[in-house]
Amino acid sequence: MNGTTHAVIGSTTGFVIANSLQTSPSVTLFLVGLGGVSGLMPDLDIDGKLRGKITLSHKVIQLSALIIGMMMAVYSFFEKAENERWLGIGIGFLVILIASLIKQRHMLTITGVAVLVGGFSLDELWLILLGIFIVMASFSSHRSYTHSIVGVVFFGCIAANLETTLGIKGVFFTCLGGYISHLLADLKILPVNKRGVKLFLPLSSKEV
Ligand SMILES: [Zn+2]
């Protein structure tokens, strides 16, 4: 499945969850966007073989990183005060800047480190965890750990912390649902997929 398909399926998941919780229009819009981003997250592990080339996959990585930077800036603007606000916005823009330069995989590692630094500066556990996720994904082989149950649980921790911080109901289920929808769409049982996902890493590296 390509990035666009994953983003659309993730957004749809967010929309369904928003509807079932009967959220306000603005929260619905937010959950649709969040579902779309979550649906892209597992593919931050795109193959090292593509190193040095701008491919469609790299554009997906770049877009996800850009959105994360923007979310960080917007989040700091609304949720933080004074010094922390400007610090958060600054680091958010730094992430956007680094993301716009992503042509190679190591740039993703740097983006992750920037998110991590942002998380520590703002004292936000979800950002710290997200930074760790991005750094780990940049070192994982494609369709391995980010496409496993371990990945789902880790992302679930990020999502739970984000929901607590924002205090918006539906954030946890949207992130988790968007992420899981990606793994389902990558399963080998679907005829469009030549490869499956290593769902049971590290216990088994069998592709399903
Ligand atoms: Zn994938």
Side-chain angles (χ1 to χ4, degrees):
M1 295 268 169
N2 63 32
T4 315
T5 316
H6 281 306
V8 170
I9 299 172
S11 299
T12 310
T13 310
F15 186 71
V16 170
I17 289 165
N19 265 302
S20 67
L21 293 173
Q22 296 191 310
T23 52
S24 69
S26 56
V27 171
T28 301
L29 201 65
F30 175 66
L31 294 183
V32 167
L34 197 62
V37 178
S38 304
L40 289 172
M41 293 306 282
D43 272 353
L44 288 182
D45 65 354
I46 294 292
D47 254 335
K49 267 181 265 168
L50 304 171
R51 213 174 290 237
K53 288 184 199 151
I54 304 185
T55 60
L56 194 65
S57 314
H58 271 103
K59 284 187 184 150
V60 170
I61 287 185
Q62 198 166 37
L63 183 68
S64 317
L66 284 172
I67 296 170
I68 290 167
M70 274 185 244
M71 277 173 54
M72 211 155 130
V74 171
Y75 172 80
S76 306
F77 184 77
F78 286 110
E79 297 285 324
K80 297 284 176 181
E82 294 171 33
N83 289 347
E84 275 204 325
R85 172 184 288 171
W86 298 113
L87 188 67
I89 292 174
I91 296 170
F93 275 107
L94 186 69
V95 171
I96 292 172
L97 183 73
I98 298 168
S100 67
L101 298 172
I102 289 181
K103 290 185 182 64
Q104 290 170 316
R105 215 185 196 205
H106 65 264
M107 297 304 293
L108 186 66
T109 315
I110 299 170
T111 305
V113 172
V115 172
L116 199 59
V117 170
F120 280 115
S121 327
L122 298 172
D123 209 10
E124 290 286 354
L125 187 57
W126 71 274
L127 265 182
I128 294 171
L129 294 174
L130 182 63
I132 294 171
F133 179 91
I134 296 171
V135 172
M136 304 252 269
S138 75
F139 288 113
S140 309
S141 59
H142 188 38
R143 291 187 167 212
S144 65
Y145 279 96
T146 59
H147 288 66
S148 72
I149 292 169
V150 173
V152 171
V153 172
F154 194 98
F155 199 71
C157 292
I158 301 174
N161 277 292
L162 182 60
E163 174 161 318
T164 310
T165 308
L166 294 176
I168 299 172
K169 236 178 127 192
V171 166
F172 174 70
F173 284 117
T174 297
C175 290
L176 201 64
Y179 197 96
I180 292 172
S181 78
H182 182 115
L183 304 197
L184 293 177
D186 273 356
L187 289 180
K188 215 154 86 178
I189 43 165
L190 298 179
V192 288
N193 295 320
K194 287 190 200 81
R195 289 175 60 189
V197 293
K198 293 173 180 158
L199 204 58
F200 303 106
L201 277 174
L203 300 175
S204 155
S205 51
K206 194 177 180 298
E207 287 193 356
V208 293

